[in-house]
Each structure stands twice: as structure tokens, then as C-alpha cells.
Amino acid sequence: MTTRDFGNFINGDWADALSGETFESRNPADLTEVLGTFAKSGAADVDRAVQAAKDAYPSWLGTPVPQRADYVLRVALLLEERKEDLSETMTREMGKTLKEARADVQEGIDFAHYMAGEGRRFFGDTIPAELSNKFYMTVRHPIGVAGLITPWNFPIAIPLWKIAPAIVSGCTSVFKPAEDTPLCAALLVDMFREVGLPPGVLNLVNGMGDEAGAALVDHPGVNAISFTGSLEVGRMISEKCARSMKRCSLELGSKNALIVMPDAQMDLAVESAAWGAFATSGQRCTATSRLIVHDRVRAEFTERLVDRVSGMKVGNGLDPEVELAPVINEQQKKRVLEYIGVGRQEGAKVLIGGEEPQGEEYANGHFLTPTVFDEMTPEMRIAREEIFGPVTGIMNVESVEEAIAVANSVDYGLSCSIYTHDITNTFKAVQQLEFGVIYVNAPTIGAEIQVPFGGMKNTGNGHREAGPQSLDEFTEWKTIGIDFSGKLQRAQMSEP
Ligand code: NAD
């Protein structure tokens, strides 16, 4: 495969980092394959990009919303045309299986179509006034220059979850993608250039988090930060934004759970657990990392899950037989192996996996076997901390109340599933689970773009992405009162 090299995209042009420094992107399934070199940006590059975004803002604010949205629609159409090529690039750059890479691009396409439609809505309200001959309405107003910082696990969908609503809302943006997926980011941004998005509306600055990312968060010209990533970095960004009074929306990690009740359809629960835990090698923010199973069906569930997982082929995501593709990088592989060691020390029992696969075909990549722990208990670190790899653990409970309490016992709250056909247990769970996304008889992973997505507790700070709520991240509400009475009317004081 030929390498594709990209600089930063600032004010409508591709340009090298001012320092001239670059970094490489390599295939996690085959580290000998270099996908390209990219600008390693610093504060000066970020400053140029923010300046371009600031300069572009007044005219973008004045551009009719349907026109803004039309650029998003045209990118959706280009993505459709290039889906196969882009999906293959994604598998090479980030590792996930080709089927999942296609789904990532498809999610981007779906959301771009959805947001393009929002350009013809972008509704506000009209509200009756308490005074006569007075009229109220609300309109959305863009927040200004937005900094968009994204992780590597959904290299097309997550950037579009931010870029598309920012564009429709009238914000101008500086996008800092994850350093593990700069090629996907550059290809996506280049499509916006191709469809003629005016210079400065979307700028891309590639580079490291603690350099380019930190400079973007610190820049006084940025009005809002939209961040998806780890709790650790999210907390730091939140503190900085609080000091500088920047709007900040955070989508962070989680410790998702799947509850299996005695009346669950067992084959469905097992297949969903395997899919939820090991798709994208467990590197989804919604990955099923806890299996909370009722004592009465635990033996059967455990045996069937281990049987299912033992049949998973580990390997390069381009191989259609492969279910478990590599993890993203060496650091992540070490982290996962460390957590497996911690779990063993804490007294959990490895039922399957727990090591690196052996063989020539695994020599050049970051491969791990799928790991299932048994006898995981709520106080263990492996039951509380996000591992973000192909590891899950079974926990024993004796009632739905206990299942809900165990599910809620972590500091995160993104996604939780319950497998049951009992209406009482279903509604108890729906009412009491402290998660932003709850599924009944469906896996913890697989968000759809037309519904709001986000988590409770440490998973975020109350914002939601996807769905109509996406626009809230990038707009302020303006309330407009028009008095056509021709006289001074004093609210709460005028004569009737
Ligand atoms: P990360 O926090 O390491 O990095 C995310 C982004 O932040 C990257 O672009 C990185 O370069 C940047 N960054 C790092 N340090 C920074 C700093 N000091 N200042 C500004 N930016 C900085 O996360 P990751 O490893 O890329 O992604 C995995 C994490 O993302 C997991 O915790 C996962 O749960 C989370 N995630 C959450 C969601 C969600 O919607 N809730 C979705 C996907 C991933």
C-alpha cells in the first residue's frame, strides 16, 4: 500500500507543521506497514488554525443554515462512494475488523445525512408572552470557535459526531484527532475541502495530545471544547475549561454491564455478551466489561460463553474469519496484560485467554487473546476500572435488586443491558440503573445516531451527542422578546 502523507489543514490549505516535525501512523496488525507521515503540531500551529477559524466565523455565522448543512450532505455522499476504500484504510490504521470499519463509516454517513436534515429544521420555539402585544421566540446561536478532540476507536464516526453539528450550528472548528488515526482524520477533512467548504470553517491540526491537544484547550480564542476520550484527560480538560470559562462537553470512559436474569433467552444473552465484550477488541466506550449473571443460570451461561469465545479467531482485521483484531498500540497491550495480572492477584479466575497469542502471524502486531474472568467481585479493580481491551468478567448475583446495585456500584455510567422477559424486572432496571443508555435484550454496544448518546457519573458532564441534542453542544439559546404595544410594559407589574 502506498503511504499518504498529510500536513495540517488550515484556512483551506494543507501545510506542514511550522517546526517541520512529523510522526508516522503504522498498522497495529503489521507494524512494518507505514500508512503515512503527518504533521506533529505545536502551539504555533494551533494558534494559526484558531486564527483561521476566528477569521472565518463572521461570514459563516451569516451563512444560511441549509447552505451550511449542504456541505455536510455532500460529504455524506462522498463517504458513500468511498466507503469501501476508507473502511479498508481504517482497518489498516486502527486494526478493527473490516466489517466493523464499514459500520464505523456507515455510522458517519448516517449521522451526516441526519445532520444535513437538521439544517432544514434547526428549530427554535415561539412562546406566548404574559403581556399583550408582545411576542417571544428562541433561536440557536453558534458558540463561536470550537476545539474538537477525538479518540482513535471510531476514527470516522466520532469526528463526524462533532464536525457535522459544529458546521450546521455555525461554529468554525479546529479538529485535533487521535495520534493513532491521523490518516482517517486527514481523508475525512479533505472531503470537506473537496466539496468546497469555505476556508477556515474546518481546520485540522494533527499531533500529540499533550502538545497540540493541550494548546487547543489552552487557547483563549477557542470558545468551546468538545472532547471524547479517557477520564484522566477529560478531567484535566474540564478543570482548564472551568478556569477560562470555556464551554466543555465530555464523553469519557465507562464500565458497562450486561445483566442476565434466569428467564433470559440464553443463546441471545451469550451471543450478545461475546459481541459486546470482544467487538473492536473491547475498545469501545460501551464495551461489555462486566457480566452480572443470576446464580440460577450462571453455570450454563459461563459454559456456553467460554465455548463461544474459544472459537474466536484472533488476527488481522482484513481476514473475514477474524473476530478479534489487534489492540491499538503497544502501550494499550501492556495495560491490558497488566490488568489481567491485577485480576489474577485479586482472586478472579481466568477461564480463557489471559495472554498473547503465539505464532509467526502475531509477531508484528499488538495481538491479545480474548479473556474471560470468573469470580469477579464488585470491589476488585478489574470490576471498577476501564480496561479498554478484550477482557470481561462474570459476577454472581441472586436477585434483580442485587444485579442493579452491582451494575450501579461503579463511578461510570454509559451503557447497561438487561436480558429478561419479566416486565417487572425490566421496569425496575429501567428506573433504577444509573446509565445514560439502557438496553433490554440488546447488547451494550451499537449506538444508533438518531438517539442521544452519553453517560452519567464520571462518563461525562451531562452533555449528549448524536440525536437532536447534538446541536446543544455547539449552540447557545437566544431568547427574543418583541413588544409591539407601543408603550412601556413592565413585566410582572403592568395593569391587566
Ligand atoms: P485519550 O484520552 O488518551 O485521548 C483522546 C484524545 O485526547 C486524543 O486526541 C489525544 O491526543 C487527546 N489528548 C491527550 N492528552 C491531552 C491533553 N493533555 N490535552 C488535550 N488533549 C489531549 O483517549 P484514547 O485512548 O484516545 O481513547 C480511549 C478513551 O476514550 C476510553 O476511555 C474510552 O472509553 C473513551 N471513549 C469514550 C466515548 C464516549 O462517547 N463516551 C467514545 C469513545 C471513546
Side-chain angles (χ1 to χ4, degrees):
M1 190 178 172
T2 49
T3 65
R4 284 181 272 185
D5 306 331
F6 281 94
N8 291 321
F9 186 70
I10 298 177
N11 206 24
D13 286 320
W14 288 101
D16 291 342
L18 291 170
S19 66
E21 283 188 71
T22 58
F23 68 101
E24 283 177 349
S25 176
R26 284 179 184 254
N27 182 344
D30 176 5
L31 295 167
T32 61
E33 184 185 349
V34 178
L35 286 109
T37 57
F38 301 88
K40 188 165 177 287
S41 313
D45 302 291
V46 169
D47 186 51
R48 282 191 57 217
V50 173
Q51 200 51 53
K54 276 179 79 170
D55 292 346
Y57 178 68
S59 131
W60 194 238
L61 171 68
T63 304
V65 189
Q67 265 184 46
R68 291 182 206 150
D70 201 43
Y71 294 105
V72 175
L73 175 65
R74 280 188 268 156
V75 166
L77 300 175
L78 275 187
L79 280 166
E80 279 171 4
E81 264 175 42
R82 295 177 194 172
K83 180 174 168 184
E84 201 50 31
D85 186 37
L86 190 58
S87 304
E88 195 186 311
T89 301
M90 186 188 296
T91 294
R92 288 181 189 278
E93 183 167 51
M94 177 276 162
K96 68 171 73 173
T97 63
L98 188 53
K99 264 188 215 154
E100 290 187 62
R102 289 187 189 119
D104 189 325
V105 177
Q106 189 59 48
E107 189 175 327
I109 293 168
D110 295 343
F111 189 61
H113 277 292
Y114 180 82
M115 269 298 131
E118 281 300 301
R120 295 263 165 195
R121 290 184 290 266
F122 212 64
F123 296 137
D125 288 319
T126 58
I127 304 156
E130 66 182 36
L131 298 168
S132 55
N133 296 322
K134 193 172 176 189
F135 181 85
Y136 276 112
M137 60 186 167
T138 57
V139 295
R140 288 186 183 274
H141 186 88
I143 200 143
V145 175
L148 316 176
I149 304 178
T150 57
W152 43 264
N153 63 338
F154 281 85
I156 293 292
I158 291 181
L160 272 168
W161 277 28
K162 299 183 189 301
I163 291 171
I167 286 178
V168 173
S169 295
C171 288
T172 54
S173 308
V174 178
F175 168 36
K176 206 306 276 175
E179 46 270 50
D180 286 298
T181 49
L183 179 55
C184 286
L187 293 173
L188 176 63
V189 168
D190 203 46
M191 289 186 211
F192 282 98
R193 180 196 59 76
E194 241 179 288
V195 302
L197 187 75
V201 173
L202 174 64
N203 305 277
L204 167 77
V205 176
N206 260 315
M208 304 301 122
D210 54 1
E211 294 168 3
L216 186 57
V217 173
D218 291 339
H219 201 293
V222 173
N223 305 101
I225 293 288
S226 174
F227 173 79
T228 301
S230 61
L231 171 62
E232 190 192 12
V233 176
R235 181 176 277 137
M236 196 159 59
I237 290 178
S238 173
E239 285 168 5
K240 284 184 175 184
C241 287
R243 276 199 297 274
S244 56
M245 296 297 286
K246 282 190 178 80
R247 170 87 69 93
C248 168
S249 55
L250 305 171
E251 294 289 343
L252 310 175
S254 191
K255 195 72 193 170
N256 312 293
L258 183 146
I259 298 169
V260 184
M261 295 304 292
D263 65 327
Q265 189 185 326
M266 198 49 65
D267 50 349
L268 180 65
V270 168
E271 197 53 38
S272 301
W275 171 238
F278 300 114
T280 324
S281 303
Q283 303 169 116
R284 293 198 190 197
C285 50
T286 49
T288 312
S289 54
R290 297 181 293 154
L291 299 164
I292 301 174
V293 186
H294 196 284
D295 196 42
R296 294 218 308 266
V297 287
R298 200 181 115 201
E300 184 192 354
F301 176 85
T302 305
E303 192 189 325
R304 289 174 69 169
L305 181 69
V306 170
D307 186 49
R308 172 69 185 83
V309 173
S310 65
M312 282 184 173
K313 183 173 177 188
V314 179
N316 189 320
L318 292 176
D319 173 348
E321 307 271 287
V322 161
E323 285 190 83
L324 203 81
V327 297
I328 187 71
N329 54 35
E330 185 61 28
Q331 193 190 351
Q332 192 58 21
K333 186 168 98 177
K334 275 197 189 133
R335 180 186 147 100
V336 174
L337 288 169
E338 267 169 36
Y339 266 111
I340 292 170
V342 167
R344 284 192 165 109
Q345 272 169 15
E346 287 177 316
K349 199 169 118 196
V350 174
L351 292 174
I352 185 166
E355 74 253 315
E356 298 175 51
Q358 301 304 313
E360 185 71 2
E361 68 271 39
Y362 303 119
N364 288 326
H366 305 300
F367 295 99
L368 287 166
T369 51
T371 298
V372 180
F373 276 108
D374 196 11
E375 293 170 31
M376 189 164 88
T377 55
E379 60 295 341
M380 289 179 181
R381 280 183 59 202
I382 56 161
R384 313 186 66 79
E385 297 174 18
E386 185 181 49
I387 300 174
F388 221 56
V391 181
T392 192
I394 298 171
M395 306 168 89
N396 190 62
V397 290
E398 294 182 353
S399 65
V400 74
E401 288 77 17
E402 193 188 356
I404 294 168
V406 169
N408 285 344
S409 69
V410 293
D411 293 333
Y412 294 106
L414 183 54
S415 179
C416 188
S417 299
I418 180 163
Y419 281 74
T420 181
H421 290 92
D422 179 305
I423 195 78
T424 307
N425 287 345
T426 300
F427 273 87
K428 270 188 190 165
V430 166
Q431 185 188 53
Q432 293 169 28
L433 285 170
E434 295 164 348
F435 291 81
V437 184
I438 296 169
Y439 295 104
V440 180
N441 298 323
T444 60
I445 64 172
E448 295 183 35
I449 58 85
Q450 69 282 13
V451 290
F453 180 87
M456 296 168 72
K457 302 190 207 165
N458 287 356
T459 294
N461 58 350
H463 293 268
R464 292 292 180 267
E465 292 195 319
Q469 281 78 2
S470 304
L471 297 172
D472 295 341
E473 251 188 291
F474 297 102
T475 53
E476 297 273 15
W477 281 111
K478 283 206 294 207
T479 303
I480 298 144
I482 300 167
D483 190 321
F484 53 101
S485 68
K487 59 185 183 192
L488 175 63
Q489 302 199 84
R490 296 181 175 87
Q492 290 89 36
M493 291 173 68
S494 293
E495 296 297 316

